[in-house]
Amino acid sequence: MARSNPEFQLGGINHLALVCSDMRRTIDFYSGVLGMPLIKTIELAGGLGQHFFFDCGNGDCLAFFWFTDTPDGVPGVSAPRGLPGSGELLSAVGSMNHVAFDVPAERFDEYRQRLIDKGIAVSPVMNHDDSPLGVAPKLQDGVFVRSVYFQDPDGILLEFACWTREMTEDDVRHEPRTGADRRAAATPA
């Protein structure tokens, strides 16, 4: 799926930095449940907090800040309220909606079951396709990626995803929407 970048030689994601409420619980989940090695820990100057890094594969990292004075997240604003297929997908502009980890297609079903066996609530398998609903009830030729969603202890939406086919020029065909196309959000009373 690699495409050439004529502007910058990017090697993927160095790290994605998220915010957690409890670094010990975050380590227990990402290293203990998902098996990601903790590779770097930092105490921030002035008692501001901590910044820890987990290896999530291929030299990429998932990092977490723990701040002494951070506000709590707001479901439906900071992150989606629930799992796709059984909750809302909506989150605010500037938020991080979810993190998708690439998994081998041949191990997708096994990995979903492993999460279940570890007591993690998971979404139904989502076979993403170009149908009007965007999801097929079963794996078929039009499916381009398979996904299963779950949440970390702070409600961060995570995904195990596997590509099922190579993308082509035909996969880029929609006109991009603009800010003018958005509906105004309801203002709280």
Side-chain angles (χ1 to χ4, degrees):
M1 299 244 177
R3 299 282 193 264
S4 173
N5 180 339
E7 298 294 327
F8 299 97
Q9 184 179 347
L10 302 178
I13 301 293
N14 180 283
H15 70 277
L16 173 65
L18 305 172
V19 178
C20 69
S21 64
D22 182 318
M23 192 64 84
R24 168 57 50 207
R25 187 175 67 174
T26 297
I27 293 168
D28 291 346
F29 182 80
Y30 286 91
S31 289
V33 174
L34 298 184
M36 293 181 191
L38 179 64
I39 63 166
K40 177 67 178 167
T41 64
I42 300 168
E43 286 290 329
L44 301 175
L48 183 63
Q50 297 181 314
H51 194 32
F52 286 18
F53 294 75
F54 299 86
D55 181 337
C56 65
N58 293 324
D60 301 330
C61 288
L62 191 60
F64 284 87
F65 281 106
W66 174 87
F67 294 117
T68 306
D69 297 319
T70 195
D72 288 337
V74 179
V77 177
S78 311
R81 288 186 197 279
L83 302 176
S86 61
E88 290 184 23
L89 183 60
L90 191 68
S91 63
V93 171
S95 69
M96 194 240 14
N97 188 271
H98 68 278
V99 178
F101 299 105
D102 189 43
V103 299
E106 66 275 7
R107 301 196 74 185
F108 178 83
D109 294 318
E110 171 193 344
Y111 286 3
R112 181 177 185 272
Q113 188 59 51
R114 275 194 202 178
L115 290 171
I116 292 167
D117 293 347
K118 291 178 181 238
I120 305 300
V122 300
S123 72
V125 172
M126 310 286 274
N127 295 303
H128 301 279
D129 68 358
D130 292 322
S131 69
L133 289 178
V135 179
K138 62 181 183 173
L139 187 59
Q140 41 90 351
D141 287 343
V143 171
F144 56 89
V145 67
R146 299 187 79 207
S147 300
V148 63
Y149 298 90
F150 55 102
Q151 292 173 308
D152 87 346
D154 283 310
I156 295 171
L157 186 59
L158 305 173
E159 173 186 1
F160 280 173
C162 63
W163 297 109
T164 59
R165 65 174 176 80
E166 189 77 26
M167 297 299 136
T168 69
E169 289 181 11
D170 292 338
D171 286 301
V172 180
R173 63 178 177 269
H174 298 91
E175 188 64 32
R177 303 273 178 102
T178 69
D181 296 321
R182 290 179 54 219
R183 291 188 285 257
T187 53

